[in-house]
Amino acid sequence: MSVSPDVQDHVPERVRQQLVDQLIARGWIKQPAVAAAFTAVPRHLFAPDGTSLEAAYANDTVVTRRGPDGKATSSISAPWLQAYMIETARLKPGARVLEIGSGGYNAALLAEVVGAAGTVVTVDIDAQVVANARTGLVRAGYPQVKVICADGEHGYADAGPYDAVIVTVETSDVPPAWIQQLAPDGVLVIPLRMRGHTRCLTLQTDGDHLVAAAALQCGFVSMQGHGRDPVRRVPLRGDDAVLVLDDPTTHVDEDALRAALDKPGVQQWSTVTVALDDGSAFESVHLWLASQPRPYGILTVDREKTVGLLDPQDRFFCPTLLTDDSFAYLTLQKQDAETWRFGAHGYGPAAGTLVADLVDLLTVWDEQHRGGSGPLITVHPAGTRLPESSGLQLLVPRRYTTTAITWPGHKL
Ligand SMILES: C[S@@+](CC[C@H](N)C(=O)[O-])C[C@H]1O[C@@H](n2cnc3c(N)ncnc32)[C@H](O)[C@@H]1O
């Protein structure tokens, strides 16, 4: 990786400081040690050749590797998300950290936070990513970080137990090694996919299971190797409208769903309103709709190519209720400059029932869960019998674990 002369002068420090100021102003960085780490580590040294300083220090992802299909397989994660994950891990000087998914930059931030007495190990499955991470870490002044080329599903027992295991790749499950290699009070920070929605969970052990102290919507490249578990994609209009299914037991008649789009749809509006910048309301309502014990999917569309046909609230992650041959998704309608109202729009023989159900669920969310602390998310070894829940509880069974999403105090 070569560095152009203008990048080697003092300009990067200035752009870097702007990023740190922005992360502090927006509340992503609160801890002085994390601010110091972001100030110290030269992010541009981990970006691909030709990346401008602006791109290297934008509060955004930098893609570093793509697969044959053009999709990103590796990236430097967005700074706001890296700051959030490091802060939520509450690392002290001298701490031991395992990072799953490398790139080098985040490992360097971790090395700054844990200091000379600490330990940082980072594992990546891609030999090229490992080579780049090693080069970047040495050039940036962090040769002590151990970069391992392996399937991260198995962790790295040799340097454990860890005060924090920080997973920087989207996973649908929690492999046993990540839990076993945690110190007794250790924290597992993990982007866990539940019914197609990924939340960065801050998990701590409580007896035989893990409890999430915090959850934040996020996106990462998908896990490869043994833990690879892609979602099922049902093209409704080629790639312009795709239904994403993350539950192997959900059955749909793909031809019937496609044919449903040829007939008129059904629309119903709720009385539930929202401000467009209320990100936590959207995060909450998505998870609430995903938590219903009924067939569920996510609609993702190219807006320009589906005008007049589909108008989902979120073009990437739109909650969708399903039957075999029908679907209804969450939509929004502008009321005035600040207010929008939720509604449902559906297609297929059962669309009338589905849109009515979706609107009812929106009303319950508004009355009982909006603005609350959100659901309790717990992760249990697969096969564990969970005690009867007093709230609404969805179980997401995977190979190693079952995740329970419980909305406490929910009244039907
Ligand atoms: C978002 S990138 C990591 C970003 C990085 N932590 C940084 O410094 O910003 C995700 C990485 O996970 C890696 N990965 C995917 N599956 C993996 C697996 N099973 N074990 C280890 N690494 C994996 C990919 O090769 C990719 O480099």
Side-chain angles (χ1 to χ4, degrees):
M1 206 185 301
S2 67
V3 181
S4 64
D6 65 315
V7 168
Q8 278 170 327
D9 68 20
H10 293 292
V11 180
E13 280 77 12
R14 239 188 12 241
V15 199
R16 185 147 74 242
Q17 193 54 51
Q18 284 168 7
L19 172 64
V20 177
D21 293 345
Q22 190 190 124
L23 292 171
I24 293 172
R26 296 193 180 167
W28 292 113
I29 293 183
K30 299 184 191 76
Q31 297 166 15
V34 178
F38 273 84
T39 307
V41 181
R43 194 171 199 257
H44 61 281
L45 294 187
F46 298 92
D49 281 354
T51 307
S52 68
L53 275 183
E54 286 65 31
Y57 288 99
N59 193 7
D60 205 355
T61 306
V62 177
V63 173
T64 50
R65 293 266 286 161
R66 290 188 189 275
D69 58 0
K71 280 201 183 139
T73 58
S74 189
S75 58
I76 311 177
S77 305
W80 64 267
L81 185 51
Q82 293 175 313
Y84 172 83
M85 293 177 94
I86 297 172
E87 293 225 342
T88 194
R90 302 220 160 260
L91 297 167
K92 298 199 174 68
R96 307 178 74 79
V97 191
L98 173 65
E99 180 191 48
I100 305 295
S102 310
Y105 176 63
N106 195 53
L109 294 171
L110 292 166
E112 277 289 336
V113 172
V114 302
T119 301
V120 178
V121 180
T122 180
V123 183
D124 204 286
I125 201 165
D126 182 330
Q128 189 59 54
V129 171
V130 167
N132 291 346
R134 283 188 183 133
T135 308
L137 283 161
V138 169
R139 291 182 66 212
Y142 303 93
Q144 76 276 23
V145 173
K146 212 177 170 78
V147 191
I148 306 292
C149 188
D151 188 332
E153 161 134 339
H154 312 295
Y156 186 72
D158 290 6
Y162 301 97
D163 299 297
V165 174
I166 300 184
V167 182
T168 64
V169 57
E170 177 203 285
T171 173
S172 66
D173 203 350
V174 185
W178 299 348
I179 305 171
Q180 286 156 7
Q181 292 170 24
L182 268 186
D185 289 330
V187 181
L188 173 59
V189 184
I190 177 172
L192 189 65
R193 197 183 75 220
M194 299 161 287
R195 278 202 148 181
H197 297 278
T198 304
R199 295 289 182 270
C200 179
L201 303 181
T202 307
L203 294 169
Q204 280 193 286
T205 307
D206 182 4
D208 69 343
H209 63 281
L210 299 157
V211 180
L216 180 77
Q217 184 175 333
C218 67
F220 275 93
V221 300
S222 306
M223 185 101 168
Q224 304 167 42
H226 194 241
R228 185 175 175 275
D229 181 20
V231 290
R232 187 170 142 214
R233 296 170 61 83
V234 178
L236 299 179
R237 277 290 182 271
D239 281 344
D240 298 342
V242 175
L243 184 66
V244 172
L245 302 175
D246 187 18
D247 180 350
T249 63
T250 297
H251 176 266
V252 290
D253 180 337
E254 299 193 14
D255 290 333
L257 287 179
R258 280 189 278 271
L261 276 172
D262 295 330
K263 304 227 169 75
V266 182
Q267 179 88 65
Q268 189 176 326
W269 293 104
S270 75
T271 54
V272 182
T273 59
V274 68
L276 273 195
D277 62 357
D278 189 352
S280 60
F282 291 111
E283 265 188 53
S284 170
V285 80
H286 284 192
L287 211 48
W288 164 248
L289 294 172
S291 301
Q292 305 308 314
R294 57 187 297 164
Y296 180 83
I298 287 177
L299 184 64
T300 161
V301 304
D302 180 326
R303 277 205 193 280
E304 282 173 14
K305 295 191 176 143
T306 52
V307 174
L309 188 67
L310 297 163
D311 187 17
Q313 172 267 317
D314 185 316
R315 61 157 291 215
F316 296 113
F317 296 102
C318 194
T320 304
L321 303 184
L322 301 168
T323 62
D324 251 24
D325 56 6
S326 308
F327 66 100
Y329 63 88
L330 184 66
T331 188
L332 271 186
Q333 186 185 54
K334 191 170 185 175
Q335 300 285 93
D336 56 46
E338 269 119 57
T339 322
W340 294 64
R341 73 172 165 163
F342 283 119
H345 184 218
Y347 287 96
T353 309
L354 290 178
V355 295
D357 287 356
L358 209 158
V359 166
D360 284 349
L361 288 168
L362 289 166
T363 308
V364 175
W365 170 77
D366 189 46
E367 289 170 353
Q368 297 186 30
H369 301 296
R370 183 176 203 157
S373 52
L376 175 69
I377 302 178
T378 50
V379 179
H380 306 260
T384 308
R385 254 184 99 84
L386 299 184
E388 191 91 341
S389 157
S390 58
L392 175 112
Q393 185 173 71
L394 180 86
L395 301 180
V396 184
R398 305 287 196 190
R399 187 180 350 173
Y400 300 121
T401 62
T402 296
T403 296
I405 308 172
T406 310
W407 295 81
H410 170 73
K411 295 189 280 303
L412 287 173

